[in-house]
Amino acid sequence: MVLHIPFDNTYARLGSGFYTNQSPALVASPQLIAFNQTLAELLQVAGGDVLEMAQVFAGNQIPEGAAPLAQAYAGHQFGNFNPQLGDGRAILLGEVLGTDSRRYDIQLKGAGPTQYSRQGDGRAWLGPVLREYVVSEAMHALGIPTTRALAAVSTGETVWREGGLPGAVLTRVASSHLRVGSFQYFAARGETEALKKLTAYAIKRHYPQAQGPLGLLRAVRDAQARLIAAWMSVGFIHGVMNTDNCSISGETIDYGPCAFMDHYRAEQVFSSIDRMGRYAYANQPGIVVWNLAQLATALIQQLDNPQEAVEEATAIIHAMPSLIEVEWLRLFRRKIGLETLASGDLELISDLLQLMADENADFTNTFRALAEGNATDQFQDPKAFEPWQARWMRRRASEQNAEALMRASNPVYIPRNHRIEEMIAAAVAGDFTLFERLSAVYQDPFAEQAGAEDLRRPPEVDEVVRATFCGT
Ligand code: AMP
Ligand code: MG
C-alpha cells in the first residue's frame, strides 16, 4: 500500500505573491529515523512502508496531492528588520484536515535551497532535527501549544557547518506557518491587497470569530499571552523570539537554540547568538509584547485610515502585559497548589523564585518536590526554605486539592539540555537508543516512571550545557 496523505491545500491558492513553488532537493540515501504514529493517525496519514516513508519525508518522492512551496515572509531579527526572509530551508508540502477537524501544515525542514535561502544551503543536520523532534513532542505532552514532529530522516549526505555533519530532514506539523513576519512582509512592500487577503485567510483559518484586522490582532495577542505564560511555567527559553518565529496560531515554533532551565535564574540565556540577552528567560513576556506591536503596525496599514486605528491598536497592545501576568499568576498558583485567588500570592511566588535563585535550586525539581513533600532537599541551605515553607503552609491550608493540582502542573521530566546534547552525540555516532528513550519518557512528563530516575537529575558540573547553537 502506498503512503497516502489526504492533502487539502489552501495556502497554495492565495497566489504567487505569497510563495514560490519549490520542489525539495533530491538526497543520496534517505533512512527513516522516526515516525510519529500517533500524530500520523490524527493527520490521517496512512500506509507506506519504511522505505517509501524515508523517500517521502526526505523530499525525494512527492506524494500525490502535495503542492510543494516556500513561503515568503519578513521579520525583525534581534530587533533589526529584514524585509525578506522566507522559507530558506523549509518546504511546505501542503495541508491536511485532522480527525479533530483542524487544519495542519505538513512541512519538510532541511529539504534544500529555495529562492529565500540567501547564503544558506537549505539543509539541516541531524542534531537540530532530533532536538526539534524530541523537544517539540515533549512540549506537546506538557500541554503547551506547539508545532509537532511527524518524521525524521537522515539523508545520507554531509552537511557542512563547523565541519562535516550528517544531514537530516524533519517533517514539521503546524496549525499553520503564518507568522508576525508574514504580515510584515506585505506591509513593508506596501502591498495592501495582499495584506488584506492574508488577514482574511488568517482569520478564517485560526480565529473565525475575529472581526477585521484589529480583531485578529486581539486574538493573536491573547493566544501569544497564554503561550508565553506557559513557557515561563516550565522554565522554557525559546532563544530566538524574532517576529518571524512568532506564530499567528499561538504555537511554539522554531526550536533552534531553545532550552529548559535547570537551576532557576531569571536572566538565563542559552543561545550562543544572543549576546545581549535580548531573549533571556525573564525578558520573554516583554519581547512578545514588542512582537505584537510589530504585528499591529503591519495590520493597520490595510485600513483606509490607519491613523484612526492607532489608538485602538495601541490599547490592544497595552493590555497585553497584564494579560500575561494574570495567566502567569494562574499557572504559578497551580504550581504551588493554589486554585483560589488571594492577595499576596504574587509575592509568595516571587519570593520562592528569588529563593530558588539565591539557593541554586533546580526549577523543575523544586516545584515537583513541593508536590512530593520534600522540597527542603532542593536548597543548598535547607534552613533558607523554612520561613517560606511556613508561609506557604498557612496559605495552602484552605485549599482542597493542592497535591493533585501540583502533580498535574509540575512535570517530573523536562528535556534537559545535557540529555539532549548526549542524545545528539550518540546519534551522530549512529546510536539512537537515547533518542528513542527520551522520546518515550517525555511523552508522559507528569508521571514518575520506573527506571527513569536518572532523567530527573540536573546536570553535574561537567555536564552543564552553557550554550546552544542556532539550529541551522
Ligand atoms: P531561523 O533562525 O531558523 O528562524 O531562520 C531565520 C531565517 O534564516 C529563515 O528565513 C530561514 O529560512 C533562514 N535559514 C536558516 N538556516 C538556513 C539554511 N541552512 N539555509 C537557508 N536558509 C536558512
Ligand atoms: Mg524561523
Side-chain angles (χ1 to χ4, degrees), residues 335-337 370-371 392 396 402-410:
K335 289 179 79 69
I336 60 169
L370 294 178
W392 177 52
R396 253 184 82 169
E403 197 189 316
L405 194 59
M406 287 190 285
R407 284 184 187 274
S409 319
N410 298 327

Side-chain angles (χ1 to χ4, degrees), residues 73 77 85-87 89 109 172 179 238 240 242-246 253-255:
Y73 55 84
Q77 300 182 300
L85 292 167
D87 289 333
R89 57 168 160 173
K109 190 170 172 184
R172 177 161 77 180
R179 314 135 192 274
H238 181 281
V240 234
N242 293 335
T243 58
D244 53 305
N245 294 335
C246 182
I253 188 168
D254 258 13
Y255 292 83

Side-chain angles (χ1 to χ4, degrees), residues 64-127:
E64 202 185 317
L69 59 84
Q71 294 182 323
Y73 55 84
H76 277 91
Q77 300 182 300
F78 291 91
N80 303 309
F81 187 63
N82 188 331
Q84 184 166 318
L85 292 167
D87 289 333
R89 57 168 160 173
I91 291 172
L92 180 69
L93 287 180
E95 301 147 38
V96 296
L97 287 172
T99 52
D100 57 0
S101 302
R102 291 168 189 262
R103 179 171 295 280
Y104 294 96
D105 276 6
I106 300 184
Q107 190 204 58
L108 303 181
K109 190 170 172 184
T114 73
Q115 190 182 303
Y116 311 108
S117 295
R118 295 171 288 156
Q119 291 90 312
D121 60 1
R123 309 286 184 167
W125 69 276
L126 187 61

Side-chain angles (χ1 to χ4, degrees), residues 7-77:
F7 285 109
D8 174 43
N9 306 330
T10 59
Y11 189 86
R13 279 187 237 134
L14 285 175
S16 58
F18 292 82
Y19 57 85
T20 50
N21 294 311
Q22 177 67 58
S23 291
L26 294 179
V27 299
S29 62
Q31 284 195 352
L32 192 66
I33 298 168
F35 181 67
N36 188 337
Q37 189 58 46
T38 318
L39 181 57
E41 281 160 24
L42 172 70
L43 303 176
Q44 312 195 61
V45 171
D49 57 22
V50 168
L51 289 178
E52 192 193 353
M53 285 199 272
Q55 292 293 335
V56 168
F57 297 122
N60 274 5
Q61 192 178 313
I62 305 299
E64 202 185 317
L69 59 84
Q71 294 182 323
Y73 55 84
H76 277 91
Q77 300 182 300

Side-chain angles (χ1 to χ4, degrees), residues 97-287:
L97 287 172
T99 52
D100 57 0
S101 302
R102 291 168 189 262
R103 179 171 295 280
Y104 294 96
D105 276 6
I106 300 184
Q107 190 204 58
L108 303 181
K109 190 170 172 184
T114 73
Q115 190 182 303
Y116 311 108
S117 295
R118 295 171 288 156
Q119 291 90 312
D121 60 1
R123 309 286 184 167
W125 69 276
L126 187 61
V129 166
L130 295 185
R131 177 188 288 116
E132 177 155 348
Y133 193 104
V134 170
V135 181
S136 68
E137 285 300 305
M139 201 70 138
H140 174 73
L142 286 165
I144 299 177
T146 177
T147 63
R148 298 195 59 190
L150 178 62
V153 296
S154 56
T155 59
E157 305 205 335
T158 300
V159 170
W160 294 95
R161 295 294 179 259
E162 284 89 39
L165 292 160
V169 177
L170 178 80
T171 305
R172 177 161 77 180
V173 172
S175 290
S176 86
H177 285 84
L178 299 180
R179 314 135 192 274
V180 168
S182 312
F183 291 86
Q184 291 182 289
Y185 177 82
F186 294 108
R189 296 162 73 98
E191 294 184 20
T192 310
E193 287 314 308
L195 190 58
K196 285 182 180 168
K197 204 168 170 182
L198 189 66
T199 302
Y201 179 80
I203 289 174
K204 185 162 181 230
R205 186 157 174 181
H206 294 294
Y207 306 104
Q209 321 296 348
Q211 302 273 325
L214 294 180
L216 177 63
L217 179 64
R218 213 176 272 115
V220 178
R221 174 200 65 184
D222 292 352
Q224 282 287 339
R226 284 192 299 273
L227 179 67
I228 277 32
W231 287 357
M232 302 302 282
S233 78
V234 294
F236 179 74
I237 303 167
H238 181 281
V240 234
M241 289 177 70
N242 293 335
T243 58
D244 53 305
N245 294 335
C246 182
S247 91
I248 295 302
S249 71
E251 287 174 345
T252 312
I253 188 168
D254 258 13
Y255 292 83
C258 65
F260 285 77
M261 288 196 292
D262 295 302
H263 61 275
Y264 175 77
R265 237 165 51 88
E267 65 280 14
Q268 182 71 56
V269 177
F270 287 106
S271 170
S272 58
I273 54 173
D274 189 3
R275 289 190 201 90
M276 308 290 283
R278 178 180 171 92
Y279 300 139
Y281 173 77
N283 287 353
Q284 297 183 121
I287 283 293

Side-chain angles (χ1 to χ4, degrees), residues 383-465:
K383 284 227 164 342
F385 177 63
E386 283 166 12
W388 187 88
Q389 189 175 29
R391 273 165 74 198
W392 177 52
M393 283 304 186
R394 283 196 297 279
R395 172 64 182 90
R396 253 184 82 169
S398 57
E399 294 281 334
Q400 305 298 317
N401 234 345
E403 197 189 316
L405 194 59
M406 287 190 285
R407 284 184 187 274
S409 319
N410 298 327
V412 183
Y413 308 102
I414 43 126
R416 292 184 186 270
N417 264 319
H418 65 296
R419 294 302 182 192
I420 298 291
E421 296 303 324
E422 191 184 340
M423 165 191 90
I424 291 171
V428 169
D431 178 359
F432 291 86
T433 46
L434 187 54
F435 165 73
E436 273 150 26
R437 180 169 178 239
L438 295 183
S439 296
V441 170
Y442 298 154
Q443 260 173 51
D444 198 5
F446 295 101
E448 280 142 44
Q449 298 170 45
E453 292 76 14
D454 59 317
L455 299 182
R456 300 183 68 163
R457 184 174 63 71
E460 304 288 356
V461 177
D462 61 341
E463 291 174 317
V464 173
V465 177

